[in-house]
Amino acid sequence: MIKAVRGTRDLLPPDTELWNFVERKVREVFARYNYHEIRTPVFESTELFARGVGEETDIVSKEMFTWEDGERFSKAKLREAWLRENKDRVFIDEMDQVLVAGFAPIDLAVYPTDGSRVDRPLIELISLRPQATEADVSALIDASKRLVTERGGMLALKAPLLRIVTPAGARSVNSTEVEITQLAGHFFESVQPLTLRPENTAGVVRAYIEHEMGRSGLLQKLYYIGPQFRRERPQKGRYRQFYQIGAEVIGPPSAGSELPIRDAEVLDMLIALLHAVGLTGWTLYLNSVGCVHCRPAYNQALREALAGVKDQMCGDCQRRAETNPLRVLDCKVPADQPIIEKLPKIADYLDEGCREHFAQVRAMLDTLEVPYQVNERMVRGLDYYTRTTFEFTHGELGSQSAVLGGGRYDGLSEQIGGPKAPGIGFAIGEDRLVLALQAQQQQALAPLKAFIIPLGTGMNRHALKLARQLRAERVTVDVSDEGFRLKKSFETAEKLGATFAILVGGNEVEADAFAVKRLKSGEQTTVSRAELLEYLEG
Ligand code: AMP
C-alpha cells in the first residue's frame, strides 16, 4: 500500500469542517481590519530564503526542501563538444556565422580544414537540437533553402550537407535529407536552485517588491492561508507539510509602517481571531529584539559571554557563537539551557528608539487590556526580526506549544533587494490551532441537527425538499434514502450524532406534518412544516 509520506497527512471530514470554520473566521475577522488576501507560489528561488530568513537559521541550514530545478539543454555545451570532436575535419569562419545567424535553426556553418579557399565551400549546415523530430528536420531544410536564395552570393555554398546534432539517447527520426548525429556527453545545465517555501513572509515581501506595491504610498495589509514545508522530525503538532495563516502589514515609512500602533493593531487582530474561533487559555509572550543599530552591541556582548562557555555547548551553538550569536538563544538542547539563561539580556542593550517603540506598543496593549508576558529570551528562529517579536502558546499542545509567532521585520525588504519597507506580521500554525480547538473540545461547529428519513417509494424528493427548506434556514441536516430499512436509517442518524430524526412518509406529506423523534430521549411528536424550524431550534 502506498501511504502518505512521513510528516505529511490527509485532512479528512469531519476534521476539514473545523479547518473550514477556522478559515472562514480568519477571512471575516481579517476583512474587518482591512486586510486583503495574497497568494504567492509554494516554491521560490532558494536565494530568497537564504537571504531573507538567514543562512544560520535552523530553517535554512537544516530544514528546507531544496532541489536543482530540472535541467535545460545547453546548446553551447553541445556546440563545443561537436567542434572538439570534428576539429581535424572542419573549422568555422566567424564572419560566415554572422551571415547564417538569421536562418534558425541553423547554428553552425562549417568548412573543411583542407583545400584552397576556392575549393573550400561550406560543407555542412548544422542545427544543434535537444532532439531531432520531423519538425526539426523540415525546419532545417527550409532554412537551408532560404539561405541559398538570400545569402548564396555571399557564402561559398556548394550543396552543403545538412546535419542535426543531438545528445546521445535523444529522440530522433530517420531522414534521407538530413544527417543526424548523436554525441555522448552531458549537454545540460541546471537552471536554478528552488525551495518549497518554509514560511511565507519572505515570499510576500518578494511579491511586494516585484509588483511595486509600495508605490501607492499606502500600507499594504495582506494575509495568506497555505501550506509550508520544513524537513523537521515529525511528531504531534510538527509536520513536514503544515499550514500557516499569516498576515503582513508592510509599506513605505511615510505610510506609518514603522509605528507602534501597527504592532498593537496586529496583536489586537490576533486576539479578535482567537476569540472568534473560540480558543481560550492562550498566553502571549512579547519581546523586543532591537534593530540594526543596537543589535551589534548585543551580538558583541553575546560573543564575549559565549567565548568562555561555548566549549561546553552543542556543536550548533559553538558554530553560531561565531557566526550569528543571537541564534544561540533558539537552541533547544537541554544541557545548554542553564548556560543560555545566564547570557546577557537583549533588554539591557536596546537603544533609545527601540526602548521607546516597545514601551508604546506595551502601553497600547495595556489600554486594550491585552494580557501578555515579556519574555526576554524569545528571539524567534528567523534572522529578519527587528524590534517587537511575539508568540502565543497554548497549554493543550504539549511540547509543540507555540500556536503562532510573529514580529517586525524593518530591514527585510532591503535585505532582498527592495526599497525601504518596514513591516510586521505573524504566522499561525493552523494545524496546531485546530489541534488546540479539538483538545479544548469546543464544539465550534454546528452539529447535525436532523437526519431526514424518507419512508417508502417516491419519498426521496419530498425528503430533499424538506432538507432544502431547513438548510435555507441555516439548519444542518442530512438525508437518508427511501430504500433503506427504518432501523438502518435510525442507526445512521445516531452514528452521525444527529439530534433529531424526521420521518417523511406518505401520510406526513399529505398532512404536511412530520414525525420528529428526539434521538436521545426517544420522544416523538408530530410537527407541522410551518412549526418545524421553531421546534428544532427550541
Ligand atoms: P515560524 O514560521 O517558525 O515562526 O512558525 C509560526 C508557527 O507555525 C508556529 O508557531 C507553529 O504554530 C507553526 N509551525 C511551525 N513549524 C511547524 C511544523 N513543522 N508543523 C506544524 N506547525 C508548525
Side-chain angles (χ1 to χ4, degrees):
M1 192 191 7
I2 301 172
K3 293 186 171 176
V5 175
R6 204 168 106 84
T8 72
R9 60 200 186 122
D10 302 306
L11 301 173
L12 306 173
D15 289 357
T16 41
E17 292 300 326
L18 190 49
W19 284 74
N20 283 326
F21 164 78
V22 166
E23 290 171 17
R24 261 197 320 274
K25 291 291 172 194
V26 164
R27 292 179 197 281
E28 263 171 49
V29 173
F30 288 9
R32 262 186 267 142
Y33 284 75
N34 196 27
Y35 278 75
H36 300 278
E37 186 174 9
I38 181 168
R39 299 190 192 198
T40 62
V42 293
F43 59 88
E44 300 265 2
S45 70
T46 305
E47 193 193 352
L48 173 67
F49 304 112
R51 278 170 58 187
V53 178
E55 301 267 17
E56 265 305 320
T57 59
D58 275 357
I59 294 177
V60 173
S61 64
K62 302 181 188 160
E63 297 169 359
M64 297 206 302
F65 288 98
T66 294
W67 71 100
E68 291 278 309
D69 178 43
E71 288 196 306
R72 183 164 57 191
F73 167 64
S74 164
K75 201 175 261 192
K77 284 188 181 174
L78 188 61
R79 172 189 162 112
E80 206 177 292
W82 190 85
L83 285 174
R84 203 168 41 239
E85 197 150 289
N86 291 277
K87 68 176 185 311
D88 297 334
R89 188 173 71 82
V90 302
F91 78 99
I92 63 169
D93 180 327
E94 291 298 343
M95 290 279 282
D96 288 341
Q97 303 313 306
V98 177
L99 288 177
V100 303
F103 295 83
I106 299 172
D107 295 302
L108 283 173
V110 297
Y111 290 92
T113 43
D114 54 355
S116 70
R117 175 69 185 160
V118 183
D119 300 331
R120 288 194 310 189
L122 276 173
I123 54 166
E124 284 178 28
L125 295 173
I126 297 163
S127 177
L128 303 162
R129 310 291 304 160
Q131 54 187 11
T133 61
E134 298 280 5
D136 293 318
V137 167
S138 48
L140 180 56
I141 295 169
D142 287 352
S144 71
K145 285 184 184 150
R146 279 191 293 118
L147 181 72
V148 172
T149 325
E150 294 176 33
R151 297 271 195 275
M154 288 179 262
L155 287 162
L157 277 169
K158 200 174 165 192
L161 179 110
L162 303 181
R163 186 191 296 283
I164 292 179
V165 181
T166 71
R171 191 153 78 93
S172 175
V173 290
N174 285 325
S175 168
T176 46
E177 292 156 287
V178 172
E179 184 149 331
I180 292 164
T181 305
Q182 296 208 325
L183 278 192
H186 190 76
F187 309 114
F188 297 88
E189 57 194 3
S190 66
V191 179
Q192 62 178 144
L194 298 178
T195 293
L196 286 180
R197 64 183 185 197
E199 60 95 59
N200 215 158
T201 300
V204 169
V205 177
R206 193 237 349 107
Y208 171 90
I209 298 167
E210 188 171 332
H211 304 289
E212 299 183 28
M213 293 169 82
R215 276 218 333 224
S216 65
L218 297 171
L219 283 180
Q220 298 296 315
K221 295 173 115 179
L222 305 166
Y223 80 91
Y224 59 83
I225 300 174
Q228 316 293 334
F229 306 85
R230 294 183 196 172
R231 190 182 274 112
E232 294 196 87
R233 198 170 52 77
Q235 64 185 87
K236 189 167 184 212
R238 195 203 267 161
Y239 311 99
R240 291 184 160 187
Q241 171 170 343
F242 58 100
Y243 293 80
Q244 284 188 337
I245 297 164
E248 318 287 352
V249 197
I250 180 170
S254 60
S257 52
E258 274 171 313
L259 303 178
I261 185 169
R262 302 281 72 100
D263 308 42
E265 193 191 24
V266 157
L267 287 161
D268 180 55
M269 179 169 85
L270 274 168
I271 287 158
L273 175 69
L274 296 183
H275 181 73
V277 298
L279 190 76
T280 53
W282 46 261
T283 309
L284 162 58
Y285 292 102
L286 202 62
N287 194 19
S288 173
V289 296
C291 66
V292 282
H293 305 299
C294 51
R295 190 87 60 74
Y298 180 57
N299 272 334
Q300 189 52 31
L302 276 180
R303 256 195 204 100
E304 281 164 20
L306 284 165
V309 291
K310 67 172 195 254
D311 293 349
Q312 304 153 40
M313 303 184 82
C314 71
D316 281 344
C317 282
Q318 296 190 16
R319 198 188 63 246
R320 293 171 185 145
E322 302 292 334
T323 55
N324 191 347
L326 199 65
R327 294 275 72 88
V328 169
L329 305 190
D330 296 331
C331 176
K332 301 280 183 315
V333 176
D336 289 358
Q337 301 311 307
I339 302 174
I340 295 171
E341 286 302 330
K342 294 203 198 80
L343 292 172
K345 300 278 184 286
I346 183 103
D348 299 328
Y349 291 82
L350 295 182
D351 65 17
E352 196 44 42
C354 291
R355 217 186 296 262
E356 177 58 22
H357 193 279
F358 195 37
Q360 286 193 32
V361 173
R362 287 181 1 216
M364 278 181 268
L365 294 180
D366 292 341
T367 307
L368 292 168
E369 294 179 14
V370 171
Y372 61 83
Q373 292 178 30
V374 173
N375 175 357
E376 290 178 340
R377 240 196 84 176
M378 192 189 59
V379 294
R380 316 234 336 105
L382 300 91
D383 276 355
Y384 52 62
Y385 285 121
T386 54
R387 295 193 162 171
T388 314
T389 55
F390 53 87
E391 205 162 87
F392 283 67
T393 61
H394 196 270
E396 295 284 356
L397 288 172
S399 60
Q400 303 305 315
S401 64
V403 189
L404 70 94
R408 224 169 224 294
Y409 43 83
D410 290 345
L412 176 55
S413 171
E414 289 140 293
Q415 220 164 298
I416 58 176
K420 192 165 168 52
I424 179 166
F426 60 81
I428 303 169
E430 191 174 1
D431 306 73
R432 292 189 195 170
L433 178 55
V434 167
L435 278 174
L437 286 171
Q438 284 169 334
Q440 212 179 255
Q441 306 231 301
Q442 273 236 346
Q443 252 317 336
L445 295 169
L448 186 61
K449 184 65 96 180
F451 195 55
I452 301 177
I453 305 174
L455 278 181
T457 320
M459 288 300 126
N460 271 353
R461 57 207 172 93
H462 297 291
L464 280 177
K465 189 173 159 200
L466 181 64
R468 141 106 61 106
Q469 184 192 343
L470 291 170
R471 285 166 176 158
E473 299 289 349
R474 310 179 81 83
V475 183
T476 304
V477 301
D478 210 338
V479 187
S480 188
D481 181 89
E482 63 192 27
F484 290 169
R485 289 209 327 266
L486 189 57
K487 187 161 175 268
K488 176 173 173 174
S489 285
F490 272 122
E491 280 168 6
T492 310
E494 298 215 0
K495 269 193 209 155
L496 290 172
T499 313
F500 295 99
I502 305 177
L503 302 182
V504 180
N507 294 341
E508 278 85 359
V509 170
E510 203 158 299
D512 208 27
F514 306 92
V516 181
K517 185 170 175 176
R518 189 180 286 274
L519 288 163
K520 243 198 199 123
S521 61
E523 166 202 349
Q524 188 167 320
T525 340
T526 301
V527 186
S528 72
R529 190 187 290 271
E531 287 167 351
L532 193 54
L533 180 65
E534 198 180 328
Y535 183 80
L536 296 178
E537 299 289 3

